[in-house]
Amino acid sequence: MTRYIALLRGINVNGITITMTDLADTFTDLGYTDVKTVLASGNVIFSIDKPLADHDELAALKARIEAALTARFDYEAWIVLIDHETLDRVVRAYPFDEKHAAWHPYVMFSSEPGHLSELAGHARELDAADERVELGHGVLYWEVKKAVGVKSAFSKKSGKVKYRATTTTRNLHTLHTLLE
């Protein structure tokens, strides 16, 4: 059995309401096992009975899940699909002090790696006293002072329409929970 995590983009905001029970049922109906949702922000852990051989198989799995979500919940579904082992590496590679109490630790995922590079290019424009970003392997790491939060310069840049359809961000603490 191989464990995967699906990170859904844009649910339970902007009028797209999905209960976690219905979400889990969708994955179960697709034939996946050990299905578990974590928080109400669209995090699903599930197992498949064989490891995927290559990127094409992973893309097919992602497309199958997105099609099922779109059909069942009547919205344009978009997910990041990551295996447990890769997520563990991403979390362990977090470059900032994740225990810094006055800061939020985040990881941004994208279906368009070029967007992560573009966003990382704004690092020099940021006030390091408030926030920092660093490009990782397939992700963008971000930390921001809690007092600044979504009003930060990077939050405004990453929230632009251009990036909204291709990125999703998770708090590092949520990612730790997904790995437990």
Side-chain angles (χ1 to χ4, degrees):
M1 295 292 238
T2 303
R3 298 288 282 164
Y4 282 90
I5 296 95
L7 305 174
L8 283 68
R9 167 85 171 93
I11 70 160
N12 294 334
V13 294
N14 301 325
I16 300 168
T17 305
I18 299 173
T19 69
M20 295 304 98
T21 301
D22 288 342
L23 183 58
D25 288 348
T26 302
F27 279 74
T28 301
D29 292 347
L30 287 169
Y32 308 128
T33 57
D34 303 320
V35 176
K36 178 181 168 188
T37 61
V38 178
L39 303 174
S41 56
N43 306 293
V44 184
I45 304 167
F46 63 99
S47 295
I48 62 173
D49 45 357
K50 67 179 180 91
L52 300 177
D54 57 29
H55 179 75
D56 290 342
E57 284 190 8
L58 183 66
L61 177 63
K62 179 181 182 298
R64 181 174 187 241
I65 294 168
E66 288 172 340
L69 293 169
T70 297
R72 182 161 185 175
F73 301 110
D74 195 31
Y75 84 109
E76 189 177 346
W78 177 81
I79 68 168
V80 166
L81 190 58
I82 189 167
D83 66 79
H84 188 274
E85 187 178 305
T86 301
L87 182 60
D88 184 57
R89 279 195 305 270
V90 164
V91 168
R92 283 188 288 112
Y94 189 77
F96 309 119
D97 179 5
E98 69 179 89
K99 298 189 187 319
H100 197 192
W103 294 70
H104 286 298
Y106 292 111
V107 179
M108 180 179 284
F109 300 85
S110 180
S111 61
E112 191 62 48
H115 284 177
L116 295 178
S117 295
E118 270 180 43
L119 287 165
H122 295 290
R124 290 181 302 279
E125 303 165 21
L126 304 177
D127 182 347
D130 289 335
E131 63 186 333
R132 296 184 296 173
V133 297
E134 186 173 312
L135 194 58
H137 185 71
V139 297
L140 185 65
Y141 297 106
W142 172 38
E143 73 168 357
V144 61
K145 269 190 178 172
K146 289 179 179 179
V148 177
V150 297
K151 295 178 183 171
S152 80
F154 184 76
S155 182
K156 290 175 185 172
K157 288 180 187 312
S158 64
K160 290 184 178 181
V161 172
K162 175 181 183 176
Y163 304 118
R164 265 189 265 159
T166 63
T167 62
T168 190
T169 303
R170 293 296 188 277
N171 189 292
L172 190 66
H173 304 301
T174 299
L175 298 178
H176 278 293
T177 301
L178 291 170
L179 291 169
E180 292 173 358

